[in-house]
Amino acid sequence: MRQILPKKNRNLLFEMIRTDFKLRYQASILGYLWSVMKPLFMFAILYVVFAKILKLGTEPNYALSLLLGIVLFNFFAEATGGALKSVVSKSSLIRKIDIPRHLIPVASVASAFINMLLNLLVVFVFVAFGTGTAVSWMTLLVFPLLIAELVLFTIAFSFLLSAMYVKLRDIDHIWEVVRQALFYSIPVIYPLSRVPIEIVQQIMLMNPLVQIIEDARSVITYSGVVRIPDVYQNSLMQLVPIAIVFGALFIGIKYFSKRSKYFAELV
Amino acid sequence: MSTNGMNDNNNISIKVENVSKQFLLPHQKAGTLKSFFVNPFSKFENEKQMALDGVSFEIKKGEFFGIVGRNGSGKSTLLKCMAGVYTPDKGHIKVNGSLVPFIELGVGFNPELSGRDNVYLNGALLGFSRPEIDAMYQEIVDFAEIEKFMDQKLKNYSSGMQVRLAFSIAIRAKSDILLLDEVLAVGDTNFQKKCFDYFEKIKRENKTVVLVTHDMGAIEKYCNRAILIEEGLIKSQGSAQEVAYLYAKNNKEIYFDNKLKNQNKSKEDFTTKGITCELMNDHGKESNKFNYGDTAILKLSWKNPEVKNIGVALIRQTGEYVFGANTILDNFDITDNNIGYNIKLDIGEGNYMFKIGFFGKDDSEKLEFIDEGPAVVIDSDTVQKWGGIVKLDHKWRNNV
């Protein structure tokens, strides 16, 4: 840790996150409250449409599962979307000073991370008043690990996307579409158990986002979710999404450091 | 022997070895998927520009080192390579010690943040931690003289206030090597005075400073050594005085070339009016280049029979009217439609130009006027040993 983030860089990272946070809700009356209210509004809309009108959510604690799914997915979407433009938007810095380039997308992810923590606080308030939730001592152990996995996966994409965006500005639009598709391809609105074919469930669970959301639900909202051991005989399959996360991280860091030499002349 | 080698290495602050940097300048802003699909195999049409082409030099510890060159010569690219902003395509740059670049003042300043927040942000970019900035915050504010504005957003600052704030943070940077890029070009005289005071201070502190500028005054005043860069190559390196002299001379030649190009055009203009005008040296050869004390010969001819009086003025490039005379005041009678005019050029180095007026009997009766007449470039092969436009008779004496 000390090697990756020497003191000087830690100071800088801290100031960058502070700046990002200060600027985000500037001149808005409700300020930081918005970062909590936005997912709640989204939750309210989706809940009314899918649970009340389409009668999708009959599972136990559907509402809480939906909220948790939204918060986790929102972090991924918001952080990658913000990080994508982070390098280009810091062009005035990059062209004039030799700051460690990798701090830029990391700072962007970090400020989305703080947002997610605020949102999770709200989730836990609901969980505290809920009944039949799956919270136990295991939650304290497993949930932080899942969040760590999610953060690493997000950082992997943030490195990749922010470096690609410097060269190819279409990435912004492409990623918007991909995010949209991802939202429906992972079980945020619908429970994974509603997916009728087992092989589709098997394939979906190889996506780290799906695995993280399902595992998180299993320790927080209710235990009846579909997890990797439920659809695979081989328990080693649990390692595949984790391997994908680290693979993506490796590729992201490699690509970013290869491209970052030329950021100053391209942005 | 090996100990000597060690010492040499310890004395070197920055070693630039055979550094090349090339930029690809796309003709149109390519980089969309469409252009990729339309033409996937051919690379986008890029113009290659060699910004630096195998540059090598060394800067010793404690040296005030100047890099000069015209716009687009590659001097800023070189500075950015030294600062680590650009990665050279070829070659190495070895930096011995901590380095702070001032490629621009107030890097990272955000107009939406308060002055206070910007101090912390800019300070972090210069490598300071929060407690360190806390400790010197008051000093920064006092030096910038903007105490009561610190909680206002930076966008409400005047540009002078922004520069003052940026400068007072910048000068606190602790490092062995400072890279400065024409920081002097901004700010009012009062601010420039502060900059110069700061330069004097760091010069006394024996820090290594690299200054990129085209202000020859600053180079001669502060630098021990300098290099002159032209089209990505080191044209010369040596003492600051030598390099400054070469640079000035270089510029003169370019000025001279441009002048000649313009002159051919204006020559055509007045030949249509029946006027010819030639400038020659005392060997009768057409020339624009003279040394101090040479005699220049101006030959004029015209067709208008009304011309009774001709005036010739010599103007310096910087605008001073150096000398003028006319035929009536000199009691010279024009008998034909051509004259010669000899003038001894006892004037200092620089660029000059003739203006020529053709008048009738009355002074106010201006018939023709050549506003941009022949150019005169006074050059000397050695450094001129006196200053000013004209050399006046003078004598030094002891015991008076």
Side-chain angles (χ1 to χ4, degrees):
Chain A
M1 192 64 184
R2 206 156 280 172
Q3 297 248 297
I4 306 170
L5 267 185
K7 187 158 172 278
K8 194 178 149 187
N9 290 358
R10 252 178 295 159
N11 291 332
L12 187 53
L13 184 63
F14 177 69
E15 286 304 327
M16 281 162 80
I17 296 167
R18 254 177 77 94
T19 307
D20 208 52
F21 238 74
K22 280 213 163 162
L23 293 176
R24 186 175 297 198
Y25 295 108
Q26 221 187 24
S28 72
I29 298 166
L30 293 179
Y32 302 129
L33 266 182
W34 279 115
S35 59
V36 175
M37 278 158 60
K38 271 192 293 188
L40 281 179
F41 278 125
M42 191 176 166
F43 161 75
I45 295 164
L46 292 174
Y47 185 74
V48 169
V49 172
F50 289 97
K52 294 296 163 197
I53 300 173
L54 294 176
K55 307 278 183 215
L56 202 65
T58 51
E59 281 72 12
N61 273 340
Y62 170 79
L64 269 180
S65 292
L66 176 63
L67 183 59
L68 180 63
I70 289 171
V71 167
L72 296 184
F73 179 78
N74 249 14
F75 163 68
F76 179 78
E78 203 184 292
T80 51
L84 183 142
K85 288 188 177 169
S86 62
V87 170
V88 171
S89 71
K90 289 272 186 301
S91 63
S92 62
L93 274 187
I94 289 175
R95 274 187 279 123
K96 275 151 207 155
I97 199 165
D98 177 29
I99 56 162
R101 314 279 197 245
H102 62 271
L103 291 187
I104 296 169
V106 169
S108 178
V109 171
S111 89
F113 178 73
I114 295 168
N115 247 340
M116 176 175 66
L117 292 185
L118 290 175
N119 289 328
L120 285 173
L121 219 66
V122 176
V123 173
F124 282 112
V125 168
F126 281 110
V127 168
F129 290 107
T131 50
T133 58
V135 178
S136 69
W137 287 114
M138 274 297 280
T139 310
L140 280 182
L141 185 72
V142 176
F143 191 62
L145 285 177
L146 291 172
I147 292 300
E149 189 189 352
L150 179 63
V151 169
L152 288 183
F153 196 54
T154 305
I155 285 180
F157 273 89
S158 298
F159 276 139
L160 205 61
L161 291 166
S162 60
M164 282 166 95
Y165 185 62
V166 172
K167 243 196 143 178
L168 197 68
R169 301 291 158 100
D170 296 71
I171 294 294
D172 182 26
H173 306 288
I174 295 172
W175 190 242
E176 213 179 302
V177 176
V178 171
R179 253 159 35 190
Q180 202 65 229
L182 263 179
F183 180 72
Y184 291 99
S185 76
I186 63 179
V188 177
I189 307 165
Y190 54 90
L192 188 56
S193 54
R194 289 274 183 125
V195 175
I197 309 160
E198 197 185 67
I199 190 158
V200 178
Q201 290 182 343
Q202 284 181 335
I203 294 169
M204 283 171 75
L205 273 168
M206 290 300 101
N207 178 350
L209 288 176
V210 178
Q211 172 253 318
I212 290 165
I213 287 178
E214 288 301 288
D215 283 351
R217 282 170 175 169
S218 78
V219 292
I220 291 179
T221 53
Y222 76 110
S223 46
V225 294
V226 182
R227 297 175 57 232
I228 293 175
D230 302 330
V231 289
Y232 282 104
Q233 301 298 320
N234 191 343
S235 61
L236 280 178
M237 290 309 282
Q238 294 191 61
L239 295 177
V240 175
I242 294 165
I244 291 174
V245 168
F246 282 100
L249 194 60
F250 178 76
I251 293 169
I253 290 172
K254 266 266 152 47
Y255 183 73
F256 188 87
S257 35
K258 195 181 146 215
R259 297 298 317 165
S260 66
K261 281 190 233 164
Y262 306 105
F263 282 170
E265 46 203 278
L266 290 173
V267 291
Chain B
M1 198 55 202
S2 64
T3 2
N4 268 340
M6 282 286 286
N7 279 339
D8 276 359
N9 272 340
N10 283 340
N11 280 331
I12 303 281
S13 201
I14 300 179
K15 188 172 187 170
V16 176
E17 262 179 306
N18 201 25
V19 163
S20 293
K21 181 78 194 165
Q22 183 176 289
F23 291 112
L24 295 177
L25 308 171
H27 273 298
Q28 69 191 67
K29 184 77 189 162
T32 61
L33 265 192
K34 191 183 150 213
S35 53
F36 178 74
F37 280 124
V38 170
N39 221 345
F41 297 112
S42 75
K43 286 259 172 194
F44 307 117
E45 258 199 39
N46 283 324
E47 198 180 325
K48 283 178 189 164
Q49 197 205 351
M50 210 64 179
L52 291 175
D53 193 358
V55 170
S56 304
F57 60 92
E58 284 176 350
I59 300 173
K60 292 191 190 76
K61 271 200 181 136
E63 217 169 20
F64 214 118
F65 192 85
I67 299 176
V68 285
R70 292 162 58 81
N71 289 334
S73 60
K75 60 183 193 305
S76 289
T77 306
L78 178 59
L79 192 75
K80 284 187 173 182
C81 284
M82 286 157 75
V85 173
Y86 289 156
T87 313
D89 296 333
K90 267 187 253 160
H92 298 281
I93 295 175
K94 239 182 94 184
V95 176
N96 216 339
S98 62
L99 180 150
V100 169
F102 292 120
I103 288 170
E104 195 182 279
L105 280 174
V107 169
F109 265 13
N110 194 313
E112 294 294 332
L113 290 175
S114 70
R116 182 187 303 271
D117 288 333
N118 271 305
V119 168
Y120 284 93
L121 183 62
N122 193 244
L125 284 165
L126 294 175
F128 289 113
S129 68
R130 217 148 232 278
E132 282 175 307
I133 302 172
D134 283 336
M136 60 193 180
Y137 182 79
Q138 201 50 45
E139 267 179 78
I140 292 173
V141 175
D142 289 346
F143 191 80
E145 300 161 27
I146 45 170
E147 172 90 68
K148 58 181 175 178
F149 298 99
M150 288 315 285
D151 288 315
Q152 283 189 25
K153 282 185 187 171
L154 197 76
K155 65 178 173 187
N156 298 328
Y157 282 31
S158 73
S159 53
M161 282 154 68
Q162 289 192 22
V163 170
R164 287 209 304 272
L165 183 61
F167 185 72
S168 47
I169 307 166
I171 60 172
R172 307 228 169 221
K174 281 172 292 196
S175 71
D176 312 324
I177 306 162
L178 280 164
L179 301 183
L180 306 169
D181 189 4
E182 321 228 32
V183 182
L184 290 175
V186 290
D188 54 16
T189 32
N190 186 29
F191 174 73
Q192 287 191 352
K193 170 88 175 55
K194 275 186 172 177
C195 284
F196 283 122
D197 289 346
Y198 173 62
F199 280 11
E200 293 284 3
K201 185 173 153 262
I202 50 180
K203 196 172 172 167
R204 280 196 302 272
E205 283 170 5
N206 240 13
K207 280 188 184 174
T208 309
V209 182
V210 182
L211 177 67
V212 170
T213 182
H214 39 232
D215 176 3
M216 284 310 118
I219 289 280
E220 283 185 81
K221 191 165 177 197
Y222 299 106
C223 295
N224 312 113
R225 275 198 318 136
I227 54 172
L228 173 62
I229 293 214
E230 215 177 273
E231 285 168 7
L233 294 163
I234 295 185
K235 186 107 192 276
S236 74
Q237 60 178 309
S239 76
Q241 280 70 23
E242 277 168 27
V243 171
Y245 168 70
L246 264 173
Y247 178 72
K249 194 174 165 172
N250 235 355
N251 275 353
K252 225 178 287 168
E253 275 160 17
I254 290 159
Y255 170 82
F256 179 72
D257 285 348
N258 286 342
K259 204 80 219 168
L260 280 188
K261 265 181 226 148
N262 279 342
Q263 238 158 44
N264 289 334
K265 216 177 126 249
S266 70
K267 229 176 200 172
E268 277 167 31
D269 280 353
F270 51 76
T271 40
T272 54
K273 293 174 189 160
I275 295 168
T276 65
C277 164
E278 277 175 278
L279 182 65
M280 292 177 293
N281 60 21
D282 49 5
H283 303 300
K285 259 176 98 179
E286 211 170 323
S287 174
N288 296 73
K289 227 171 184 173
F290 299 90
N291 282 323
Y292 167 83
D294 283 358
T295 298
I297 302 163
L298 198 60
K299 278 193 178 171
L300 301 169
S301 77
W302 62 93
K303 292 218 170 100
N304 191 338
E306 305 283 307
V307 172
K308 293 285 182 277
N309 181 17
I310 289 175
V312 176
L314 188 64
I315 314 289
R316 202 170 198 231
Q317 183 195 2
T318 42
E320 293 92 351
Y321 175 21
V322 181
F323 177 74
N326 73 40
T327 50
I328 285 189
L329 289 176
D330 283 344
N331 291 322
F332 177 82
D333 286 327
I334 299 169
T335 55
D336 205 351
N337 60 350
N338 67 76
I339 52 166
Y341 175 68
N342 286 23
I343 179 168
K344 191 159 182 295
L345 298 168
D346 286 345
I347 48 178
E349 276 184 286
N351 303 311
Y352 302 82
M353 192 173 41
F354 282 114
K355 285 184 195 253
I356 303 155
F358 297 84
F359 305 95
K361 258 240 135 43
D362 194 350
D363 243 12
S364 60
E365 199 188 336
K366 199 195 266 182
L367 299 171
E368 295 294 347
F369 198 79
I370 301 174
D371 202 37
E372 287 215 351
V376 173
V377 176
I378 304 290
D379 206 352
S380 61
D381 302 325
T382 52
V383 179
Q384 185 176 292
K385 287 190 176 125
W386 51 277
I389 302 174
V390 291
K391 189 177 180 184
L392 301 176
D393 270 342
H394 60 285
K395 190 188 249 170
W396 301 99
R397 286 180 297 149
N398 277 320
N399 308 321
V400 281

